[in-house]
Amino acid sequence: MLARDIMKKKVLSISPDHGVRHAARTMLENQISGLPVCDDRGRLVGILSEGDLLRRAELGSVSWRDIAAVRTKPEAFIKGHSWRVGDLMTQPVVTVDEGMPVGRVAELMAAKGIKRTPVMRAEEMVGIVSRSDILRAIAASVPDVGAGGDEAVRRAVLARLCSDLGLEKGAIDVTIENGTVSLSGQVESEALREAARVAAETINGAGGVRNKLRIVANRGDSDG
């Protein structure tokens, strides 16, 4: 699944010359928490989010009577008092290509701490992906591996354990007992043991998982 598959194609945007109050009303009326900012040619130049509006002078939470404070943080003064969107917007904008896998989009949003990201086709903004779009993709997802029959399920589970978790085939034994997947063998930590359970549960056809894996510290942990 790619960014183009989950993005909203109808994107509201504003001009850097629009007023802050207009932007705030637009967000409220459309129940959105951010707006791309585009110039007269339609080029993306910034993004305005709720976070950019939290330290406004209108809120009465910021006092600028201290001239020394203004001199040391003039940018903050501008963001607190300017009426122009262009003075408050965040730039540069974190964007993604329309062909980026959704998993990478989610990782980027988490790493940058952002709630939305414009989707680009070359230099053109063609959509936007928000956290709610990611959630909808998760809610609509189904197990991505289909397996038929006990032996097919066993092979699929073993392949997932090796490919996704880096476990060695010789250290893990996978059996099917009355439709339930049983995992036995050794792993190096409780986290890896639980990850193995989760990996097995993602296989379509696994009726349940019995986790018999034992935790054995590696030699490096016991040296000393």
Side-chain angles (χ1 to χ4, degrees), residues 68 77 105 162 171 210:
F77 177 84
V105 175
C162 295
R210 183 177 295 115

Side-chain angles (χ1 to χ4, degrees), residues 121-172:
R121 180 184 299 147
E123 299 299 317
E124 178 188 4
M125 181 176 64
V126 294
I128 193 165
V129 170
S130 67
R131 290 182 179 179
S132 61
D133 297 317
I134 300 290
L135 290 178
R136 276 190 286 271
I138 294 172
S141 66
V142 295
D144 60 354
V145 177
D150 287 353
E151 180 57 24
V153 172
R154 190 191 72 81
R155 290 198 303 266
V157 170
L158 188 58
R160 175 61 59 85
L161 295 175
C162 295
S163 63
D164 286 13
L165 302 182
L167 299 178
E168 298 181 2
K169 287 185 178 181
I172 302 295

Side-chain angles (χ1 to χ4, degrees), residues 45-47 79 86-94:
V45 295
I47 195 163
K79 286 184 176 293
D87 290 328
L88 275 72
M89 67 184 185
T90 297
Q91 57 180 334
V93 185
V94 177

